[in-house]
Structures are given as C-alpha cells and as structure tokens.
Amino acid sequence: MRALDFLHAFARRRAPREVPVPGGFAVLDDRFPGSYDDNKLIVRTAPDDDPAAAVARLLAAADEALGSHGHRLVCVDDDRLGTAYAPAFAAAGYEHETNLLMAFRGPVPRDPAPAERLELPELIPVLRRDWRRTLPQAPDAVIDGLARRVESRLRGAGSVGFHGVRAPDGEIAARADLYAHDGVAQIESVFTGEPYRGKGYARALMTALLGEAAGAELIFLVADADDWPRHFYSRLGFEQLGRTHAFLRT
C-alpha cells in the first residue's frame, strides 16, 4: 500500500538509528527517549508462521531495541497480523490501539483561505504550551523534548510544512503538519487547542491543507479508529484505506 510505503520511508529518513527486527525494523532517537513515535518497532510482514512464536520474537526484539526506554511500542502495519497478534500482546501487558489509514476522495476545495506557515522558532513554543496543558504534571525536560522532536520531521520528506490558523486573540488555535514526497502527501498532527475547539478552526485548516496538497496523487492521514475525529475526516471527504495496529506497554 502506497500510504504505508510513505510512512515507513518517513520513519526511516527521520530516525538517527535503525535496527532490523523480525518482520520489520526499529527506529530510534536517543535525543528523545520518552517519545513513543521516535522510538518504536514497525512490523509489516509475518516473521513466523506461528503467531505465538512471532509475538514472542517481537516481544524479545522490543525489549532489546527499547531496553533503555520506559516504554515498548510495536506497530503492526498489516491488519491480519495485528488482529492475530492482539491476544498474545494483551497477555504480555500491552495495550492495543487500532488506527485507520484514510485517503482523501472528496472534491478539492475551491479557493480555500491559506493557512499560515509556522517556522520552528514560533512553532516550538506553541508545542510547549499545548503539551503543558495536556501534561500539567510533567517535568519541564519532558515537555521540551516532546516539543523539540518536531525538528526531526524536517528530514522525513522532500517537503515538510508546519501550518496553523489563528484566533482573533492572535494565538495559534489549530495546527497541523503537511508532508509531501514523490506524489504522496500526508496530513499529520492535527490539533486544536482546547479553548478553540468547536469553532471551525480545524475545518479551516484542513481545507487550506487540502488545497495546498491538491496536486498530489494521494492525500492521506492516520486516524484513531475509536476516536471522534475519524467522523470529522469522513465529512471532509476521507475514506478508509486500511487498518494498522499499535501495541504499547508503559
């Protein structure tokens, strides 16, 4: 699937370190040890015909690759494998999340209002603000790491842009990333600040990004299968392509 190829190539390009694991690879970034997205296993093919044996090998690989980290994250990007592996991961104490790959199939917005391009010196303080609101008890070093990890995304694709729309008070109300490479575009990290939700900022931002990415052969995003934004994306013209699975232990 082309969307999965994009995601895997993006992860590899941004990662300072990559190590092979059964059926896939692990990406590692020692600068941000607490970042799940920067330190994880990615599996696409079955490393063993026996699901129980395959999961045992993956659990051992996660312990080895992420041994110095406080988490274990294994992303299984094959729906059949993820479904088959779920019971064994649950028995090992992992939580299970299912995500949807969604492709834009709607009409391209006409003359959308442009979103503002955010450079890192302005974006990072916004990220710190939003993470602090989300994790009020977290140490400052953790908040700073979560904000600054955005720097690695600049290596992930040929074109990487951070975009936002402002509220009348001048604050960034909604923000998102737009990555493009070889005819494929991904919209990622869509976020609306809590004081600004339900006021149309996310829709304005998404419309702007869809307009900017209109020349791509494929525009896609990843949505939590159990959370409400997937319905919002459907109303904008996104349709499900497939499912992936994430297994997390903290």
Side-chain angles (χ1 to χ4, degrees):
M1 186 185 297
R2 200 170 180 190
L4 286 176
D5 291 340
F6 182 97
L7 290 172
H8 295 171
F10 189 97
R12 283 182 152 128
R13 281 190 291 263
R14 67 183 281 198
R17 288 199 298 133
E18 175 186 338
V19 297
V21 301
F25 58 96
V27 289
L28 302 166
D29 193 333
D30 296 331
R31 297 170 303 170
F32 311 115
S35 171
Y36 301 167
D37 191 44
D38 291 279
N39 298 278
K40 62 187 177 182
L41 276 63
I42 298 175
V43 177
R44 190 166 182 180
T45 60
D48 197 296
D49 290 336
D50 177 13
V55 172
R57 293 174 63 191
L58 286 174
L59 291 171
D63 286 339
E64 181 176 356
L66 301 172
S68 62
H69 300 266
H71 70 276
R72 303 287 186 267
L73 175 58
V74 180
C75 300
V76 181
D77 289 344
D78 179 284
D79 189 21
R80 180 186 62 83
L81 291 179
T83 301
Y85 292 172
F89 271 104
Y94 280 70
E95 297 179 1
H96 179 200
E97 179 180 279
T98 303
N99 292 309
L100 306 179
L101 295 172
M102 303 184 74
F104 181 66
R105 301 291 189 232
V108 176
R110 294 185 177 181
D111 301 321
E116 182 177 344
R117 186 81 172 239
L118 303 175
E119 302 300 331
L120 289 181
E122 180 176 17
L123 175 62
I124 288 175
V126 173
L127 294 173
R128 287 196 189 101
R129 177 201 71 186
D130 293 338
W131 278 113
R132 175 53 68 199
R133 289 172 177 170
T134 303
L135 302 172
Q137 305 302 321
D140 288 344
V142 171
I143 296 298
D144 188 63
L146 289 169
R148 299 200 69 88
R149 66 182 183 169
V150 71
E151 296 167 351
S152 70
R153 296 177 187 172
L154 293 170
R155 301 192 301 270
S159 173
V160 175
F162 309 114
H163 303 264
V165 293
R166 293 186 187 273
D169 62 7
E171 294 287 336
I172 299 298
R175 54 177 170 77
D177 304 350
L178 178 61
Y179 314 137
H181 199 94
D182 291 341
V184 179
Q186 180 193 6
I187 298 173
E188 171 66 6
S189 300
V190 181
F191 181 85
T192 304
E194 187 172 353
Y196 308 106
R197 293 174 185 171
K199 300 179 180 179
Y201 291 112
R203 178 175 289 275
L205 177 60
M206 289 292 295
T207 300
L209 295 183
L210 289 170
E212 181 169 336
E217 299 164 18
L218 170 66
I219 304 172
F220 80 98
L221 53 76
V222 181
D224 187 332
D226 296 322
D227 207 355
W228 66 265
R230 72 189 190 281
H231 302 300
F232 169 64
Y233 299 136
S234 294
R235 292 193 296 271
L236 289 173
F238 284 86
E239 298 178 2
Q240 182 176 334
L241 282 176
R243 303 197 315 165
T244 65
H245 299 261
F247 301 97
L248 174 66
R249 192 182 75 202
T250 57

